[in-house]
Amino acid sequence: LNTVFADDFEHFLIYLPKELVSGDFYWVAQVGPKGRPNDKLFIAVVDCTGHGVPGAFMSMIGLNLLDVIVRSGLTQPNLILNELHKQVRYLLKQENNDSRDGMDMALIRIKGDGRTIEFAGAKNPIVYITNNQCFTIKGDPVPIGGLQKEEKREFTLHTITIDSPTNFYLFSDGYIDQFGGPENLKFTSKRFREMLFENHNLPMVAQQEKLETALDEWIGSENN
């Protein structure tokens, strides 16, 4: 992961699976010669249904399909999610059964010069901070795969133009849904965004340390 974009982007990664194998995964892919105008960098954070082996099975499906879809020539995040949804439903034969297995996802494409970010989300959002302001773009309120009541499922493309230093955050619900604190409640997305904003001027490594420390303190030894 680091070698793909460490030369261009400061970053951090927190990956703390509940079990040895996980239903959450991250995916990074580069398309086109690095540094050329047609260079495209894709980053996704994905939360599959299930934990342990069932979740890991869905993760394998998601990872393989993302690679295949991008190699096929689809590059817009919303079109990638559209195709991924169709392929997951086809592979799991969900047209003919009651399977609700699927995945929530936040996917971005960083275009060659790094000044344009394209985002599409299946339930999962993106948070970004620029000019001392925090913004959230919600994903569409439907997952990849699973039950489809509507005739056709299509995801929305959001384009963000970068004209000043900007931090982007992709995440699953693993952090915000952790129980803890004095009343053993969920951490919540509001508290999470407040923490991101409070620490966004720190180096990325320091932000990672702050988030990990806060999570440990929130969960507490009695919930470990």
Side-chain angles (χ1 to χ4, degrees), residues 127-130 165-169 199-202 204 207:
V127 170
Y128 67 99
I129 302 174
T130 185
T166 303
N167 291 352
F168 290 88
Y169 302 94
N199 298 309
H200 79 275
N201 286 318
L202 297 175
M204 285 291 176
Q207 292 186 46

Side-chain angles (χ1 to χ4, degrees), residues 77-145:
N78 61 317
L79 300 183
I80 293 171
L81 295 195
N82 292 349
E83 183 62 22
L84 182 61
H85 172 69
K86 289 188 286 188
Q87 291 292 337
V88 167
R89 282 182 54 79
Y90 172 77
L91 286 174
L92 299 182
K93 298 180 173 27
Q94 292 180 331
E95 291 286 349
N96 304 310
N97 60 46
D98 296 327
S99 167
R100 293 175 181 261
D101 289 333
M103 55 194 77
D104 302 339
M105 179 182 302
L107 170 65
I108 63 171
R109 172 172 72 157
I110 304 174
K111 299 180 79 171
D113 60 1
R115 294 183 177 273
T116 302
I117 305 291
E118 294 179 340
F119 163 74
K123 300 186 77 172
N124 284 1
I126 184 173
V127 170
Y128 67 99
I129 302 174
T130 185
N131 294 321
N132 214 37
Q133 290 183 287
C134 184
F135 302 91
T136 301
I137 301 177
K138 294 181 178 180
D140 290 291
V142 286
I144 299 293

Side-chain angles (χ1 to χ4, degrees), residues 195-212:
M195 185 179 304
L196 293 179
F197 185 74
E198 178 183 345
N199 298 309
H200 79 275
N201 286 318
L202 297 175
M204 285 291 176
V205 172
Q207 292 186 46
Q208 177 179 346
E209 292 174 354
K210 291 279 190 181
L211 287 167
E212 290 177 341

